[in-house]
Amino acid sequence: MLDLQKTKLAVEQAYQQFSQIPGGANADYIPFLANIPGNLAAVAVVTTRGDVVSAGEAQYRFAIESISKVCTLALLLEDWGSEVVQEKIGAEATGMPFNSVMALDLHGGKPLSPLVNAGAIASTSLVKAHSVEERWQRILLMQRQMGSGQIALSAELNESEQSTNSHNRAIAWLLHSAGYMYCDPMEACDVYTRQCSTLLTTVELATMGATLASGGINPLTKERVLKPENTPRILAEMTMEGLYDSSGDWAYTVGLPGKSGVGGGILAVVPGVMGIAAFAPPLDKVGNSVRGQKMVAAVAKILGFNLYKGA
Ligand code: DON
């Protein structure tokens, strides 16, 4: 059983050691993100028992960005089941950058993973909905159920993203031409852009991880959000593509399913035990938080968690 006192020390140590290490730069292709103070940092753990431990600016609200892809995948699995998701989106690593067009070209237009931009836009299009508003509200509800009811759209961030998302719009049309787009392509891109534009805290992000760690029950609200058979599929997709083209390095060094976003957030899941989240804006070249990766990895290492380690 996880020792709460040891967990507090691990979180504090990870924060002290890595929250201000040098390196990386804020994402600058979305103007809102370029302006976030680069020295903000937080790390948090939420356990499957509902314990919350954090250090740093753990209540600061930052952009969810690509971590939203996990919640939309969760909704998709609830709507359609795992075989449809595997057939229509995929369950493979692309080995390419998160917004790669080449990855689509190489695979007949199939996105391969719901956790890259192409697969996420296709996923958004596959969510069951009769209108753009219903599609958006269902995705937002899933973010809230997995994380917290406080998660909400930032109009300013959404405007910043919608006015700079031409590459994603091109991806939506490529998916359409290849037969992997399941609603109007511009509706899918609009809703995908909104899902990336919500703000959440590091504790809320760790809660999402804890929901996945507990087989689909949010340990803070006690609500069953996901069918238990769906969480292993989500964790497998996170292992394959959660940190994009450094997912292999992450699995090799940390050994836990993870997911990052260009807002500086990063999440790892210890199945059955906890979600570990961190936030720090400067990113490496792949698009993963430099300090966030270190803080999450340190908590896992200090507490002795690595899925490939055995007992
Ligand atoms: O679609 C985009 O480019 C952004 N809204 C999200 C990308 C992202 O977070 C990639 N993550 N590391």
Side-chain angles (χ1 to χ4, degrees):
M1 187 174 294
L2 189 64
D3 182 309
L4 195 55
Q5 200 50 37
K6 280 191 189 151
T7 308
K8 284 180 184 163
L9 289 173
V11 165
E12 198 52 47
Q13 188 180 328
Y15 180 77
Q16 292 303 337
Q17 207 170 343
F18 295 111
S19 65
Q20 295 305 327
I21 57 169
N26 283 30
D28 59 3
Y29 71 103
I30 299 167
F32 180 98
L33 300 179
N35 294 326
I36 303 294
N39 60 350
L40 287 168
V43 55
V45 160
V46 175
T47 71
T48 52
R49 292 183 310 222
D51 305 309
V52 179
V53 178
S54 67
E57 309 261 8
Q59 297 304 328
Y60 179 87
R61 297 197 164 273
F62 61 92
I64 189 170
E65 297 298 341
S66 273
I67 305 167
S68 67
K69 292 165 177 161
V70 173
C71 302
T72 303
L73 167 61
L75 183 54
L76 217 50
L77 287 162
E78 294 294 306
D79 274 2
W80 293 101
S82 63
E83 283 174 26
V84 171
V85 172
Q86 192 171 15
E87 178 204 321
K88 292 187 180 296
I89 310 290
E92 289 291 346
T94 68
M96 303 252 172
F98 65 81
N99 58 1
S100 175
V101 168
M102 195 191 294
L104 281 178
D105 268 348
L106 289 174
H107 302 101
K110 184 169 180 176
L112 296 193
S113 166
L115 301 184
V116 296
N117 285 17
I121 297 167
S123 297
T124 302
S125 78
L126 194 53
V127 165
K128 289 183 181 172
H130 297 102
S131 67
V132 56
E133 222 30 55
E134 189 187 1
R135 191 176 304 284
W136 159 238
Q137 288 300 334
R138 290 198 68 220
I139 289 172
L140 177 61
L141 179 63
M142 181 54 85
Q143 290 188 14
R144 289 178 167 169
Q145 287 175 321
M146 291 178 69
S148 117
Q150 303 303 307
I151 296 173
L153 185 81
S154 158
E156 189 189 349
L157 171 57
N158 186 44
E159 168 55 31
S160 187
E161 299 232 5
Q162 298 280 1
S163 57
T164 51
N165 70 353
S166 48
H167 187 90
N168 284 341
R169 277 186 262 152
I171 287 175
W173 282 112
L174 287 173
L175 289 164
H176 179 67
S177 76
Y180 289 101
M181 177 52 62
Y182 309 103
C183 76
D184 174 80
M186 291 302 90
E187 174 180 335
C189 194
D190 172 11
V191 175
Y192 164 77
T193 306
R194 292 193 223 180
Q195 78 177 42
C196 291
S197 301
T198 60
L199 301 182
L200 81 176
T201 68
T202 309
V203 168
E204 289 167 351
L205 182 55
T207 308
M208 284 181 177
T211 301
L212 293 170
S214 67
I217 297 172
N218 180 322
L220 300 187
T221 63
K222 313 287 181 214
E223 183 188 1
R224 172 162 289 289
V225 182
L226 306 171
K227 296 187 194 96
E229 65 265 31
N230 286 337
T231 56
R233 313 287 186 179
I234 298 167
L235 298 179
E237 297 272 19
M238 288 168 70
T239 301
M240 287 182 276
E241 194 61 82
L243 277 82
Y244 305 110
D245 30 341
S246 56
S247 301
D249 285 327
W250 178 260
Y252 190 81
T253 54
V254 181
L256 295 174
K259 184 73 201 86
S260 65
V262 292
I266 179 165
L267 173 65
V269 178
V270 185
V273 181
M274 64 182 169
I276 312 169
F279 160 66
L283 309 178
D284 63 17
K285 287 204 162 46
V286 174
N288 301 317
S289 169
V290 171
R291 299 167 187 168
Q293 289 177 87
K294 291 283 189 196
M295 288 191 278
V296 169
V299 172
K301 190 170 179 196
I302 295 165
L303 295 175
F305 291 109
N306 177 325
L307 285 192
Y308 307 115
K309 197 178 76 164

